[in-house]
Amino acid sequence: MAKKAIVMGATSGIGMEVAKLLAAKGWQVGIAGRRIERLQALISQGGITCYQQIDVTSPDAPAQLLELIDKLGGMDLYFHSSGIGWQNNTLDIEKELKTLETNGLGFTRMVDTAFNWFATHHQNNSKACIACITSIAGTKGLGAAPAYSATKRFQNHYLECLSQQARMRHLPIAITDIRPGFVKTDLIAGSSYPLQLKPEDVAKHIVSAIENGEEVKVIDWRYDILVFLWRLIPRWLWTRLKI
């Protein structure tokens, strides 16, 4: 029987590529996101089973996710690729709060819904998985993007907590924290960031990490080195860097 995956944030970028790759590998895939026209366009290409318009910042989002799970007939993988962020050196408060709402409240709302569904439905079945796009930005505080880097650190810790809770409760739920560097998506469109990765290549790394049960995956090896070096920099020096 084919495994079943829900991809949240499938309307563009990494989420779209992961949805298409999972479908190509024989998974039954349900997709979700805010932009219904993009969901419908992806469905029209074939390979995707069903869709649901969901805004993770809406209080109704958990009920809509459960509705999508019912449409799909169950779920073995919940993949979360819904997030926003800006460079915000002027501390535009609206941008900061929108980032917190999506990457903090929205993230927690959806991941907890998936976790609780798995806790109820997968106790005696094959292992379930929650995989989420976070970022290497969670490694250190980035002065140019305060809310973005702070919410990514929050996500890193939250997923670690869920992994620990799954073990404490003896639940068959694997947690995979995906930490890409700069990816050529709408999030950084028009920027000149170095070492930009292609979404299609990132999707291959992600699906491989999920299939291999990796708990934390930094994409790719160049960012692995960068993160290692970042961690060696003491706080007093880091806060004096223009990052």
Side-chain angles (χ1 to χ4, degrees), residues 2-228:
K3 290 186 176 182
K4 300 175 180 180
I6 298 290
V7 178
M8 183 65 58
T11 54
S12 64
I14 298 172
M16 179 184 291
E17 295 302 328
V18 167
K20 292 193 293 187
L21 182 56
L22 288 172
K25 292 173 75 70
W27 288 65
Q28 291 184 29
V29 181
I31 56 174
R34 290 186 297 107
R35 293 170 286 190
I36 193 168
E37 71 283 353
R38 292 200 179 187
L39 296 173
Q40 292 170 337
L42 190 52
I43 283 279
S44 69
Q45 296 175 22
I48 306 298
T49 305
C50 54
Y51 74 92
Q52 182 80 27
Q53 184 179 29
I54 300 176
D55 181 345
V56 301
T57 66
S58 169
D60 296 331
Q64 293 165 344
L65 173 57
L66 295 176
E67 184 177 339
L68 179 58
I69 295 170
D70 284 342
K71 285 182 184 179
L72 189 61
M75 177 174 69
D76 299 291
L77 165 66
Y78 175 76
F79 180 72
H80 191 90
S81 182
S82 180
I84 61 172
W86 290 275
Q87 279 199 355
N88 194 14
N89 285 310
T90 62
L91 286 184
D92 180 322
I93 191 63
E94 290 303 316
K95 289 182 177 179
E96 295 295 276
L97 293 178
K98 285 180 181 178
T99 303
L100 291 173
E101 186 179 21
T102 301
N103 298 355
L105 295 177
F107 170 87
T108 305
R109 179 181 285 121
M110 305 314 294
V111 171
D112 280 8
T113 300
F115 189 97
N116 288 331
W117 189 91
F118 283 138
T120 302
H121 293 81
H122 264 258
Q123 291 183 5
N124 299 312
N125 298 318
S126 59
K127 198 162 190 176
C129 180
I130 294 174
C132 304
I133 297 292
T134 63
S135 174
I136 63 164
T139 307
K140 288 279 192 179
L142 302 179
Y148 181 75
S149 61
T151 53
K152 292 304 175 179
R153 174 70 66 90
F154 167 81
Q155 291 177 355
N156 296 155
H157 283 215
Y158 203 88
L159 293 174
E160 185 175 44
C161 293
L162 290 186
S163 183
Q164 186 178 46
Q165 185 172 138
R167 288 182 170 89
M168 289 191 300
R169 294 170 59 184
H170 305 290
L171 297 173
I173 305 173
I175 307 293
T176 300
D177 182 347
I178 308 292
R179 303 179 184 179
F182 297 125
V183 184
K184 294 179 181 178
T185 65
D186 293 347
L187 190 64
I188 63 169
S191 71
S192 57
Y193 291 124
L195 304 177
Q196 292 191 24
L197 306 170
K198 295 180 179 179
E200 315 90 83
D201 295 334
V202 172
K204 292 176 184 177
H205 283 287
I206 290 170
V207 172
S208 175
I210 292 169
E211 291 176 336
N212 293 327
E214 296 185 52
E215 292 194 11
V216 177
K217 178 65 176 179
V218 176
I219 303 172
D220 59 5
W221 65 269
R222 296 167 297 177
Y223 285 102
D224 243 334
I225 295 171
L226 180 62
V227 167
F228 174 78

